[in-house]
Amino acid sequence: MEETVQRALDAVPRAPFLPSGLRRNAHQDRPLPLSHGQTNSQPSTVSAMLELLDVRPGHRVLDVGAGSGWTTALLAHLVGPNGFVIGVERIAHLALGAQVSLDETGPWPQASVRVATPGVLGAPELAPFDRILVSAEAGDIPAALIQQLGEDGIMVLPVGTVMTRVQRTGGAVDVTEHGLYVFVPLVED
């Protein structure tokens, strides 16, 4: 595991981002249920995604499907105080809980979670982003998110069951595949 990702996982424990009845299971390397059929991804999956994403201090990052807010906090640790992280979550109850967890585990002034705008994927009004993390399974690579990537931007997301890394360089988009994973579906509208 990449050293910077391991430091983030050590600095931002999973337990405070889980429902209170599941916090004792935070050490388990498996997805844990949240409300509304959503999950908090297993640590090894989160680690693999963060390594592929290659987040650096000062980056602007979009966290799509922020869920419990754990990945948003991890990203905030990785970007540092001069970076920016916005988590978007379609389920209002989860978005509010994620922001509370961020507030309780922070301070993370460079990070926040909000309810996604209906009919809008991502946060185009805040683009471009250096990195985009998508924690839900897309059927195809969403063009709306590619448009939100800045020059040399990287997006990591599961497409079907394949973890996919998308890098935008100039007008070109380079796509690589990195193993099989299972996620909840991405809601794009």
Side-chain angles (χ1 to χ4, degrees):
M1 181 182 308
E2 184 182 303
E3 187 178 320
T4 57
V5 170
Q6 184 59 59
R7 280 198 306 268
L9 289 167
D10 292 343
V12 183
R14 184 185 191 197
F17 295 91
L18 295 172
S20 58
L22 292 174
R23 290 181 178 176
R24 68 184 179 282
N25 299 326
H27 68 283
Q28 296 176 357
D29 190 30
R30 65 182 179 99
L32 294 172
L34 301 172
S35 64
H36 299 85
Q38 303 303 299
T39 60
N40 176 282
S41 296
Q42 66 192 61
S44 62
T45 299
V46 171
S47 174
M49 292 177 80
L50 292 177
E51 287 181 27
L52 289 169
L53 201 59
D54 190 28
V55 178
R56 304 291 172 93
H59 272 167
R60 293 176 49 79
V61 182
L62 172 63
D63 185 16
V64 177
S68 69
W70 185 43
T71 54
T72 306
L74 290 164
L75 291 164
H77 179 83
L78 291 167
V79 302
N82 296 319
F84 171 81
V85 181
I86 182 72
V88 293
E89 172 57 52
R90 291 217 176 266
I91 300 168
H93 173 76
L94 289 178
L96 296 173
Q99 186 59 55
V100 167
S101 294
L102 276 178
D103 293 342
E104 291 175 352
T105 60
W108 305 108
Q110 71 276 35
S112 63
V113 177
R114 71 174 194 205
V115 178
T117 303
V120 176
L121 185 58
E125 74 284 3
L126 297 173
F129 296 100
D130 300 299
R131 302 290 187 264
I132 299 176
L133 179 68
V134 182
S135 297
E137 183 180 306
D140 292 303
I141 299 170
L145 293 179
I146 291 175
Q147 292 170 359
Q148 293 174 51
L149 273 178
E151 179 67 18
D152 295 322
I154 295 172
M155 174 170 53
V156 172
L157 74 161
V159 177
T161 58
V162 178
M163 190 59 65
T164 305
R165 184 179 192 263
V166 178
Q167 184 162 7
R168 182 178 186 176
T169 306
V173 175
D174 181 48
V175 178
T176 56
E177 298 179 344
H178 301 271
L180 302 177
Y181 294 83
V182 176
F183 279 81
V184 297
L186 177 66
V187 178
E188 297 188 46
D189 53 13

